[in-house]
Amino acid sequence: MNQTMHLLRRGYEFEYRTVGGVNGDAQADLWVTVSGSRAVLVLKGCPVDDAPAAIKSLHHTWLPYLLRPDTQMLALALYPRREGIKARALVLPLSA
């Protein structure tokens, strides 16, 4: 079965609140398969330690309107490209 992904949303700006009560800003890209059965969420501008709070915010405000309840999602936190170092991503556990 073809699982080609396409970009559903790019650069969605959102706010989240960390466990310590600090407000943060980040962006998210959302990729989904044509069937909608799988999705990849890419967080940008969010420290890895704050990623669970950012994902929780998106689960309550944005993702329910874009994904089916049975969609399997993979979450990535993108480290920006720096001088001499390529951009990298960290796979985040969805239980975060």
Side-chain angles (χ1 to χ4, degrees):
M1 181 174 191
N2 187 356
Q3 292 292 313
T4 303
M5 300 196 102
H6 67 277
L7 184 62
L8 185 63
R9 295 286 190 273
R10 178 190 304 262
Y12 174 73
E13 295 182 9
F14 68 99
E15 290 184 353
Y16 61 92
R17 184 174 292 256
T18 66
V19 175
V22 177
N23 290 336
D25 296 313
Q27 290 185 348
D29 294 344
L30 185 62
W31 294 81
V32 296
T33 58
V34 174
S35 67
S37 63
R38 300 186 71 205
V40 175
L41 174 69
V42 181
L43 297 175
K44 298 182 284 185
C46 176
V48 174
D49 292 342
D50 293 346
I55 292 172
K56 182 178 178 181
S57 175
L58 291 173
H59 272 294
H60 291 289
T61 60
W62 188 57
L63 292 172
Y65 298 101
L66 298 173
L67 301 176
R68 299 183 333 220
D70 62 336
T71 300
Q72 294 179 357
M73 189 178 77
L74 175 68
L76 304 171
L78 186 65
Y79 292 102
R81 180 181 176 88
R82 292 182 294 171
E83 185 71 31
I85 301 173
K86 294 191 313 186
R88 303 253 186 233
L90 175 68
V91 178
L92 302 169
L94 292 181
S95 60

Coordinates of all heavy atoms in Angstrom, one line a residue:
M1 N 0.8 -1.2 0.0 CA 0.0 0.0 0.0 C 0.9 1.2 0.0 O 1.9 1.3 0.7 CB -0.9 0.0 1.2 CG -1.8 1.1 1.3 SD -2.9 0.9 2.7 CE -4.1 2.2 2.4
N2 N 0.6 2.2 -0.8 CA 1.4 3.4 -0.9 C 1.1 4.3 0.3 O 0.0 4.7 0.6 CB 1.0 4.2 -2.2 CG 1.8 5.3 -2.5 OD1 2.7 5.7 -1.7 ND2 1.6 6.0 -3.6
Q3 N 2.2 4.7 1.0 CA 2.1 5.5 2.1 C 2.8 6.9 1.9 O 3.4 7.5 2.8 CB 2.8 4.8 3.3 CG 2.0 3.6 3.8 CD 0.7 4.0 4.4 OE1 0.6 4.9 5.3 NE2 -0.3 3.3 4.0
T4 N 2.6 7.4 0.7 CA 3.2 8.7 0.3 C 2.6 9.8 1.3 O 1.4 9.9 1.5 CB 2.9 9.1 -1.1 OG1 3.4 8.1 -2.0 CG2 3.5 10.4 -1.5
M5 N 3.5 10.6 1.8 CA 3.1 11.7 2.7 C 3.1 13.0 2.0 O 3.9 13.3 1.1 CB 4.0 11.8 3.9 CG 4.0 10.5 4.7 SD 4.7 10.7 6.3 CE 3.2 10.7 7.3
H6 N 2.2 13.9 2.4 CA 2.1 15.3 1.9 C 2.0 16.2 3.0 O 1.5 15.9 4.1 CB 1.0 15.4 0.9 CG -0.4 15.3 1.5 ND1 -1.0 14.1 1.8 CD2 -1.2 16.3 1.9 CE1 -2.2 14.4 2.3 NE2 -2.4 15.7 2.4
L7 N 2.5 17.4 2.8 CA 2.5 18.5 3.8 C 1.1 19.0 4.0 O 0.5 19.6 3.0 CB 3.5 19.6 3.5 CG 3.7 20.7 4.5 CD1 4.2 20.2 5.8 CD2 4.6 21.7 3.9
L8 N 0.5 18.8 5.2 CA -0.9 19.3 5.4 C -0.8 20.8 5.9 O -1.6 21.6 5.5 CB -1.6 18.4 6.4 CG -3.0 18.7 6.7 CD1 -3.9 18.6 5.5 CD2 -3.5 17.8 7.8
R9 N 0.1 21.1 6.9 CA 0.2 22.4 7.4 C 1.7 22.7 7.6 O 2.5 21.9 8.0 CB -0.4 22.6 8.8 CG -1.9 22.4 8.7 CD -2.6 23.7 8.1 NE -4.0 23.6 8.3 CZ -4.9 23.1 7.5 NH1 -4.4 22.4 6.4 NH2 -6.2 23.1 7.7
R10 N 2.1 23.9 7.2 CA 3.6 24.3 7.4 C 3.6 25.6 8.3 O 2.9 26.5 8.1 CB 4.2 24.7 6.0 CG 5.6 25.1 6.2 CD 6.2 25.7 4.9 NE 6.1 24.8 3.8 CZ 7.1 24.0 3.3 NH1 8.2 24.0 3.9 NH2 6.9 23.2 2.3
G11 N 4.5 25.5 9.2 CA 4.8 26.7 10.0 C 3.7 27.2 10.9 O 3.6 28.4 11.2
Y12 N 2.9 26.3 11.4 CA 1.8 26.7 12.3 C 2.4 27.2 13.6 O 3.1 26.5 14.3 CB 0.9 25.5 12.6 CG -0.2 25.8 13.6 CD1 -1.3 26.6 13.3 CD2 -0.1 25.3 14.9 CE1 -2.3 26.9 14.2 CE2 -1.1 25.6 15.8 CZ -2.2 26.4 15.5 OH -3.1 26.6 16.4
E13 N 2.1 28.5 13.9 CA 2.6 29.1 15.1 C 1.7 28.9 16.3 O 0.5 29.1 16.1 CB 2.9 30.6 14.9 CG 4.0 30.8 13.9 CD 4.2 32.3 13.6 OE1 3.7 33.1 14.4 OE2 5.0 32.6 12.7
F14 N 2.2 28.4 17.4 CA 1.4 28.2 18.6 C 2.1 28.5 19.9 O 3.4 28.6 19.9 CB 0.9 26.7 18.6 CG 2.0 25.7 18.8 CD1 2.2 25.2 20.1 CD2 2.8 25.3 17.8 CE1 3.2 24.2 20.3 CE2 3.8 24.4 18.0 CZ 4.0 23.8 19.2
E15 N 1.4 28.6 20.9 CA 1.9 28.9 22.3 C 1.7 27.6 23.1 O 0.7 26.9 22.9 CB 1.3 30.0 23.0 CG 1.6 31.4 22.4 CD 1.0 32.5 23.1 OE1 0.2 32.3 24.1 OE2 1.3 33.7 22.8
Y16 N 2.6 27.4 24.1 CA 2.4 26.3 25.0 C 2.9 26.8 26.4 O 3.6 27.8 26.5 CB 3.2 25.1 24.5 CG 4.7 25.3 24.4 CD1 5.5 25.0 25.5 CD2 5.2 25.8 23.3 CE1 6.9 25.2 25.4 CE2 6.6 26.0 23.2 CZ 7.4 25.7 24.3 OH 8.7 26.0 24.2
R17 N 2.5 26.1 27.4 CA 3.0 26.4 28.8 C 3.7 25.2 29.3 O 3.3 24.1 29.3 CB 1.8 26.7 29.7 CG 2.2 27.1 31.1 CD 1.0 27.5 31.9 NE 0.4 28.8 31.3 CZ 0.6 30.0 31.9 NH1 1.3 30.1 33.0 NH2 0.1 31.0 31.3
T18 N 5.0 25.5 29.8 CA 5.8 24.4 30.3 C 5.3 23.9 31.7 O 4.5 24.6 32.3 CB 7.3 24.9 30.4 OG1 7.3 25.9 31.5 CG2 7.8 25.4 29.1
V19 N 5.9 22.8 32.1 CA 5.5 22.3 33.4 C 5.8 23.4 34.5 O 5.1 23.5 35.5 CB 6.3 21.0 33.7 CG1 6.0 20.5 35.1 CG2 5.9 20.0 32.7
G20 N 6.9 24.2 34.3 CA 7.2 25.2 35.3 C 6.4 26.5 35.2 O 6.6 27.4 35.9
G21 N 5.4 26.5 34.2 CA 4.5 27.6 34.1 C 5.0 28.7 33.2 O 4.4 29.8 33.2
V22 N 6.0 28.5 32.4 CA 6.6 29.5 31.5 C 5.9 29.3 30.1 O 5.8 28.2 29.7 CB 8.1 29.3 31.4 CG1 8.7 30.3 30.4 CG2 8.8 29.5 32.7
N23 N 5.5 30.4 29.5 CA 4.9 30.4 28.2 C 6.0 30.3 27.1 O 7.1 30.9 27.3 CB 4.1 31.6 27.9 CG 2.8 31.6 28.7 OD1 2.3 30.6 29.2 ND2 2.3 32.8 29.0
G24 N 5.8 29.5 26.1 CA 6.8 29.3 25.0 C 6.1 29.4 23.7 O 4.9 29.2 23.6
D25 N 6.8 29.8 22.7 CA 6.3 29.8 21.3 C 7.1 28.8 20.5 O 8.3 28.6 20.6 CB 6.6 31.2 20.7 CG 5.8 32.3 21.4 OD1 4.6 32.1 21.7 OD2 6.4 33.4 21.8
A26 N 6.4 28.2 19.5 CA 7.0 27.3 18.6 C 6.2 27.2 17.3 O 5.2 27.9 17.2 CB 7.1 25.9 19.2
Q27 N 6.8 26.5 16.4 CA 6.1 26.2 15.1 C 6.0 24.7 14.9 O 6.8 24.0 15.4 CB 6.8 26.8 13.9 CG 6.8 28.3 13.9 CD 7.5 28.9 12.6 OE1 8.2 28.1 11.9 NE2 7.3 30.1 12.4
A28 N 5.0 24.3 14.1 CA 4.8 22.9 13.8 C 4.5 22.7 12.3 O 3.7 23.5 11.7 CB 3.7 22.3 14.6
D29 N 5.0 21.7 11.7 CA 4.6 21.2 10.4 C 3.9 19.9 10.6 O 4.3 19.1 11.5 CB 5.9 21.0 9.5 CG 6.6 22.3 9.2 OD1 6.1 23.4 9.4 OD2 7.8 22.2 8.7
L30 N 2.9 19.6 9.8 CA 2.2 18.3 9.9 C 2.2 17.7 8.5 O 1.7 18.3 7.6 CB 0.8 18.6 10.4 CG 0.0 17.3 10.7 CD1 0.6 16.5 11.8 CD2 -1.4 17.7 11.1
W31 N 2.7 16.5 8.5 CA 2.7 15.6 7.3 C 1.8 14.5 7.5 O 1.7 13.9 8.6 CB 4.1 15.1 7.0 CG 5.1 16.1 6.7 CD1 5.8 16.9 7.6 CD2 5.6 16.5 5.4 NE1 6.7 17.8 6.9 CE2 6.6 17.5 5.5 CE3 5.3 16.0 4.1 CZ2 7.2 18.1 4.5 CZ3 6.0 16.6 3.0 CH2 6.9 17.6 3.2
V32 N 1.0 14.1 6.5 CA 0.0 13.0 6.6 C 0.1 12.2 5.4 O 0.4 12.6 4.3 CB -1.4 13.5 6.9 CG1 -1.5 14.2 8.2 CG2 -1.9 14.3 5.8
T33 N -0.3 10.9 5.5 CA -0.4 10.0 4.3 C -1.7 10.4 3.7 O -2.6 11.0 4.3 CB -0.5 8.5 4.7 OG1 -1.5 8.3 5.7 CG2 0.9 8.1 5.3
V34 N -1.9 10.0 2.4 CA -3.1 10.3 1.7 C -4.3 9.6 2.4 O -5.4 10.2 2.4 CB -3.0 9.8 0.2 CG1 -4.3 9.9 -0.5 CG2 -1.9 10.5 -0.5
S35 N -4.1 8.5 2.9 CA -5.2 7.8 3.6 C -5.5 8.4 5.0 O -6.6 8.1 5.5 CB -4.9 6.3 3.8 OG -3.8 6.2 4.7
G36 N -4.6 9.2 5.5 CA -4.8 9.8 6.8 C -4.5 8.8 8.0 O -4.7 9.2 9.1
S37 N -4.0 7.7 7.7 CA -3.7 6.7 8.7 C -2.4 6.9 9.5 O -2.3 6.5 10.6 CB -3.7 5.3 8.1 OG -2.6 5.2 7.2
R38 N -1.5 7.7 8.9 CA -0.2 8.0 9.6 C 0.1 9.5 9.5 O -0.3 10.1 8.5 CB 0.9 7.2 9.0 CG 0.6 5.7 9.2 CD 1.8 4.8 8.7 NE 2.8 5.0 9.7 CZ 4.1 4.8 9.5 NH1 4.5 4.5 8.3 NH2 5.0 5.0 10.4
A39 N 0.8 10.0 10.5 CA 1.1 11.4 10.4 C 2.5 11.6 11.1 O 2.9 10.8 11.9 CB 0.1 12.3 11.1
V40 N 3.2 12.7 10.7 CA 4.4 13.1 11.3 C 4.3 14.5 11.7 O 4.0 15.4 10.8 CB 5.6 12.9 10.3 CG1 6.9 13.4 11.0 CG2 5.8 11.4 9.9
L41 N 4.5 14.8 12.9 CA 4.5 16.2 13.5 C 5.9 16.6 13.7 O 6.7 15.9 14.4 CB 3.7 16.2 14.8 CG 3.7 17.5 15.6 CD1 2.9 18.5 14.8 CD2 3.2 17.3 17.0
V42 N 6.3 17.8 13.1 CA 7.7 18.3 13.3 C 7.6 19.6 14.1 O 7.0 20.6 13.6 CB 8.3 18.5 11.9 CG1 9.7 19.1 12.1 CG2 8.3 17.3 11.1
L43 N 8.2 19.6 15.3 CA 8.2 20.8 16.1 C 9.5 21.6 15.8 O 10.6 21.0 15.7 CB 8.2 20.4 17.6 CG 7.0 19.7 18.1 CD1 7.2 19.3 19.6 CD2 5.8 20.6 18.0
K44 N 9.4 22.9 15.6 CA 10.5 23.8 15.4 C 10.5 24.9 16.4 O 9.4 25.4 16.7 CB 10.4 24.3 14.0 CG 10.5 23.2 12.9 CD 10.5 23.8 11.5 CE 9.1 24.2 11.2 NZ 8.9 24.7 9.8
G45 N 11.7 25.3 16.9 CA 11.8 26.4 17.8 C 11.4 26.0 19.2 O 11.1 26.9 20.0
C46 N 11.4 24.8 19.5 CA 10.9 24.3 20.8 C 12.1 23.5 21.5 O 12.5 22.5 20.9 CB 9.7 23.5 20.7 SG 9.1 22.7 22.2
P47 N 12.6 23.9 22.6 CA 13.6 23.1 23.3 C 13.1 21.7 23.6 O 11.9 21.5 23.8 CB 13.8 23.9 24.6 CG 13.4 25.2 24.4 CD 12.2 25.1 23.4
V48 N 13.9 20.7 23.4 CA 13.5 19.3 23.6 C 12.8 19.1 24.9 O 11.9 18.4 25.1 CB 14.7 18.4 23.4 CG1 14.3 17.0 23.7 CG2 15.2 18.5 22.0
D49 N 13.3 19.8 26.0 CA 12.7 19.6 27.3 C 11.3 20.1 27.4 O 10.5 19.6 28.2 CB 13.6 20.3 28.4 CG 14.9 19.7 28.6 OD1 15.1 18.5 28.2 OD2 15.8 20.3 29.1
D50 N 10.9 21.0 26.5 CA 9.6 21.6 26.5 C 8.7 20.9 25.5 O 7.5 21.2 25.4 CB 9.6 23.1 26.1 CG 10.3 23.9 27.2 OD1 10.5 23.4 28.3 OD2 10.6 25.1 26.9
A51 N 9.2 19.9 24.7 CA 8.4 19.3 23.7 C 7.2 18.6 24.2 O 6.1 18.6 23.6 CB 9.3 18.3 22.9
P52 N 7.2 17.9 25.4 CA 6.0 17.3 25.9 C 4.9 18.3 26.1 O 3.7 18.0 25.8 CB 6.4 16.6 27.2 CG 7.9 16.3 27.0 CD 8.4 17.5 26.2
A53 N 5.2 19.4 26.6 CA 4.2 20.5 26.9 C 3.7 21.0 25.6 O 2.5 21.3 25.4 CB 4.8 21.6 27.7
A54 N 4.6 21.2 24.6 CA 4.1 21.7 23.2 C 3.2 20.7 22.6 O 2.2 21.0 22.0 CB 5.4 21.9 22.4
I55 N 3.5 19.4 22.6 CA 2.7 18.4 22.0 C 1.3 18.3 22.7 O 0.3 18.2 22.1 CB 3.4 17.0 22.1 CG1 4.6 17.0 21.1 CG2 2.4 15.9 21.7 CD1 5.4 15.8 21.2
K56 N 1.3 18.4 24.0 CA 0.1 18.4 24.8 C -0.8 19.6 24.4 O -2.0 19.4 24.2 CB 0.4 18.5 26.3 CG -0.9 18.4 27.2 CD -0.5 18.5 28.6 CE -1.7 18.5 29.5 NZ -1.4 18.5 30.9
S57 N -0.2 20.7 24.2 CA -1.0 21.9 23.7 C -1.6 21.6 22.4 O -2.8 21.9 22.1 CB -0.1 23.1 23.7 OG -0.8 24.2 23.1
L58 N -0.8 21.1 21.5 CA -1.3 20.8 20.1 C -2.4 19.7 20.1 O -3.4 19.8 19.3 CB -0.2 20.4 19.2 CG 0.8 21.5 18.8 CD1 2.0 20.9 18.1 CD2 0.1 22.6 18.1
H59 N -2.3 18.7 21.0 CA -3.3 17.7 21.1 C -4.7 18.3 21.6 O -5.7 17.7 21.3 CB -2.9 16.6 22.1 CG -2.1 15.5 21.5 ND1 -2.6 14.7 20.6 CD2 -0.8 15.2 21.7 CE1 -1.6 13.8 20.2 NE2 -0.5 14.1 20.8
H60 N -4.6 19.4 22.3 CA -5.9 20.0 22.8 C -6.4 21.1 21.9 O -7.6 21.4 22.0 CB -5.6 20.5 24.2 CG -5.4 19.5 25.3 ND1 -6.4 18.7 25.7 CD2 -4.3 19.1 25.9 CE1 -5.9 17.8 26.6 NE2 -4.7 18.1 26.8
T61 N -5.6 21.6 21.1 CA -6.0 22.8 20.3 C -6.0 22.7 18.8 O -6.8 23.3 18.1 CB -5.1 24.0 20.6 OG1 -3.8 23.7 20.2 CG2 -5.1 24.4 22.1
W62 N -5.2 21.9 18.2 CA -5.0 21.9 16.8 C -5.1 20.5 16.1 O -5.9 20.4 15.1 CB -3.6 22.4 16.5 CG -3.2 22.7 15.1 CD1 -3.8 23.6 14.3 CD2 -2.1 22.2 14.5 NE1 -3.1 23.6 13.1 CE2 -2.0 22.8 13.2 CE3 -1.0 21.3 14.8 CZ2 -1.1 22.5 12.2 CZ3 -0.1 21.1 13.8 CH2 -0.1 21.7 12.6
L63 N -4.5 19.5 16.7 CA -4.4 18.2 16.0 C -5.8 17.5 15.9 O -6.1 16.9 14.9 CB -3.5 17.3 16.7 CG -2.0 17.7 16.6 CD1 -1.1 16.8 17.5 CD2 -1.6 17.6 15.1
P64 N -6.7 17.7 16.9 CA -8.0 17.0 16.7 C -8.8 17.5 15.5 O -9.7 16.7 15.0 CB -8.8 17.4 18.0 CG -7.7 17.7 19.0 CD -6.6 18.3 18.2
Y65 N -8.5 18.7 15.0 CA -9.3 19.2 13.9 C -8.6 18.8 12.6 O -9.2 18.9 11.5 CB -9.3 20.7 13.9 CG -10.0 21.2 15.2 CD1 -9.3 21.7 16.3 CD2 -11.4 21.2 15.2 CE1 -10.0 22.1 17.4 CE2 -12.1 21.6 16.4 CZ -11.4 22.1 17.4 OH -12.0 22.5 18.6
L66 N -7.4 18.2 12.6 CA -6.7 17.9 11.4 C -6.5 16.4 11.2 O -6.3 15.9 10.1 CB -5.3 18.5 11.4 CG -5.3 20.0 11.4 CD1 -3.9 20.6 11.6 CD2 -5.9 20.6 10.1
L67 N -6.5 15.6 12.3 CA -6.3 14.2 12.2 C -7.5 13.3 12.7 O -8.2 13.8 13.6 CB -5.1 13.8 13.0 CG -3.7 14.5 12.7 CD1 -2.7 14.1 13.7 CD2 -3.3 14.1 11.3
R68 N -7.6 12.2 12.1 CA -8.6 11.2 12.6 C -8.2 10.7 14.0 O -7.0 10.6 14.3 CB -8.8 10.1 11.6 CG -9.2 10.5 10.3 CD -9.5 9.3 9.4 NE -8.7 8.1 9.7 CZ -8.1 7.3 8.8 NH1 -8.2 7.6 7.5 NH2 -7.4 6.3 9.2
P69 N -9.1 10.2 14.8 CA -8.7 9.7 16.1 C -7.8 8.5 16.0 O -7.1 8.2 17.0 CB -10.1 9.3 16.8 CG -11.1 10.2 16.1 CD -10.5 10.4 14.7
D70 N -7.9 7.7 15.0 CA -7.1 6.5 14.8 C -5.8 6.7 14.1 O -5.1 5.7 13.8 CB -7.9 5.4 14.2 CG -8.3 5.7 12.7 OD1 -8.4 6.9 12.4 OD2 -8.6 4.8 11.9
T71 N -5.4 7.9 13.8 CA -4.2 8.2 13.1 C -3.0 7.9 14.0 O -3.0 8.3 15.2 CB -4.1 9.6 12.7 OG1 -5.2 9.9 11.8 CG2 -2.8 10.0 11.9
Q72 N -2.0 7.1 13.4 CA -0.8 6.9 14.2 C 0.2 8.1 13.9 O 0.4 8.4 12.7 CB -0.1 5.6 13.7 CG -0.9 4.4 14.0 CD -0.3 3.1 13.5 OE1 0.8 3.2 12.8 NE2 -0.8 2.0 13.8
M73 N 0.7 8.7 14.9 CA 1.5 9.9 14.8 C 2.9 9.7 15.3 O 3.1 9.1 16.4 CB 0.9 11.1 15.4 CG 1.5 12.4 15.1 SD 0.7 13.8 15.9 CE 1.3 13.7 17.5
L74 N 3.9 10.2 14.6 CA 5.3 10.2 15.0 C 5.6 11.7 15.2 O 5.3 12.5 14.4 CB 6.2 9.6 13.9 CG 7.7 9.7 14.2 CD1 8.1 8.8 15.3 CD2 8.4 9.3 12.9
A75 N 6.2 12.0 16.3 CA 6.6 13.4 16.6 C 8.1 13.6 16.6 O 8.8 12.8 17.2 CB 6.0 13.8 18.0
L76 N 8.6 14.6 16.0 CA 10.0 15.0 15.9 C 10.2 16.4 16.4 O 9.4 17.3 16.1 CB 10.5 14.9 14.4 CG 10.2 13.6 13.7 CD1 10.6 13.8 12.2 CD2 11.1 12.5 14.3
A77 N 11.3 16.6 17.1 CA 11.7 17.9 17.5 C 13.0 18.3 16.6 O 14.0 17.5 16.7 CB 12.1 18.0 19.0
L78 N 12.9 19.3 15.8 CA 13.9 19.7 14.9 C 14.9 20.6 15.6 O 14.6 21.6 16.2 CB 13.3 20.4 13.7 CG 14.3 20.7 12.6 CD1 14.8 19.4 11.9 CD2 13.6 21.5 11.5
Y79 N 16.2 20.2 15.5 CA 17.3 21.1 15.9 C 17.7 21.9 14.7 O 18.0 21.4 13.7 CB 18.5 20.3 16.4 CG 18.3 19.5 17.6 CD1 18.1 18.1 17.6 CD2 18.4 20.1 18.9 CE1 18.0 17.4 18.7 CE2 18.2 19.4 20.0 CZ 18.0 18.0 19.9 OH 17.9 17.3 21.1
P80 N 17.7 23.2 14.8 CA 18.1 24.1 13.7 C 19.5 23.9 13.2 O 20.4 23.5 14.0 CB 17.8 25.5 14.1 CG 17.9 25.4 15.6 CD 17.5 24.0 16.0
R81 N 19.7 24.2 12.0 CA 21.1 24.1 11.4 C 21.9 25.2 12.0 O 21.5 26.3 12.2 CB 21.0 24.3 9.9 CG 22.3 24.3 9.2 CD 22.1 24.5 7.7 NE 23.4 24.5 7.0 CZ 24.0 23.5 6.6 NH1 23.5 22.3 6.7 NH2 25.2 23.6 6.0
R82 N 23.1 24.8 12.4 CA 24.1 25.7 13.0 C 25.4 25.7 12.2 O 25.5 24.8 11.4 CB 24.4 25.4 14.5 CG 23.2 25.6 15.4 CD 23.6 25.3 16.8 NE 23.9 23.8 16.9 CZ 24.4 23.2 17.9 NH1 24.7 23.9 19.0 NH2 24.6 21.9 17.9
E83 N 26.2 26.7 12.4 CA 27.4 26.8 11.6 C 28.2 25.5 11.7 O 28.6 25.0 12.7 CB 28.3 27.9 12.3 CG 29.6 28.2 11.5 CD 29.3 28.9 10.2 OE1 28.4 29.6 10.1 OE2 30.1 28.6 9.3
G84 N 28.3 24.8 10.5 CA 29.1 23.6 10.4 C 28.4 22.4 10.8 O 28.9 21.3 10.8
I85 N 27.1 22.5 11.3 CA 26.4 21.3 11.8 C 25.1 21.2 11.0 O 24.3 22.2 11.0 CB 26.1 21.4 13.3 CG1 27.5 21.5 14.0 CG2 25.3 20.2 13.8 CD1 27.3 21.8 15.5
K86 N 24.7 20.1 10.5 CA 23.5 19.9 9.8 C 22.3 19.9 10.8 O 22.5 19.6 12.0 CB 23.5 18.6 9.0 CG 24.5 18.5 7.9 CD 24.3 17.3 7.0 CE 24.1 16.0 7.7 NZ 24.0 14.9 6.7
A87 N 21.1 20.3 10.3 CA 19.9 20.2 11.1 C 19.7 18.7 11.4 O 20.0 17.8 10.7 CB 18.7 20.7 10.3
R88 N 19.2 18.5 12.6 CA 18.9 17.1 13.1 C 17.5 17.1 13.7 O 17.0 18.1 14.1 CB 19.9 16.7 14.2 CG 21.3 16.8 13.7 CD 21.9 15.4 13.5 NE 23.3 15.5 13.2 CZ 23.8 14.9 12.1 NH1 23.0 14.3 11.3 NH2 25.1 15.0 11.9
A89 N 16.9 15.9 13.9 CA 15.7 15.8 14.5 C 15.8 14.7 15.6 O 16.5 13.7 15.4 CB 14.6 15.4 13.5
L90 N 15.0 14.9 16.7 CA 14.9 13.9 17.7 C 13.5 13.3 17.7 O 12.6 14.1 17.7 CB 15.2 14.6 19.1 CG 15.1 13.7 20.3 CD1 16.1 12.6 20.4 CD2 15.2 14.6 21.6
V91 N 13.4 12.0 17.7 CA 12.1 11.4 17.8 C 11.6 11.4 19.2 O 12.3 11.1 20.1 CB 12.2 9.9 17.3 CG1 10.8 9.2 17.4 CG2 12.7 9.8 15.9
L92 N 10.4 11.9 19.4 CA 9.8 12.1 20.7 C 8.8 11.0 21.0 O 8.0 10.6 20.1 CB 9.1 13.4 20.8 CG 10.0 14.6 20.5 CD1 9.1 15.9 20.4 CD2 11.0 14.8 21.6
P93 N 8.8 10.4 22.2 CA 7.8 9.4 22.5 C 6.4 10.1 22.6 O 6.3 11.2 23.1 CB 8.2 8.9 23.9 CG 9.1 10.0 24.4 CD 9.7 10.7 23.3
L94 N 5.4 9.5 22.0 CA 4.1 10.1 22.0 C 3.4 10.1 23.4 O 2.5 10.8 23.7 CB 3.1 9.3 21.1 CG 3.5 9.5 19.6 CD1 2.6 8.8 18.7 CD2 3.6 11.0 19.2
S95 N 4.0 9.3 24.3 CA 3.5 9.4 25.7 C 4.0 10.6 26.5 O 3.6 10.8 27.6 CB 3.9 8.1 26.4 OG 5.3 8.0 26.5
A96 N 4.8 11.4 25.8 CA 5.4 12.6 26.5 C 4.4 13.6 26.9 O 3.4 13.8 26.2 CB 6.4 13.2 25.6

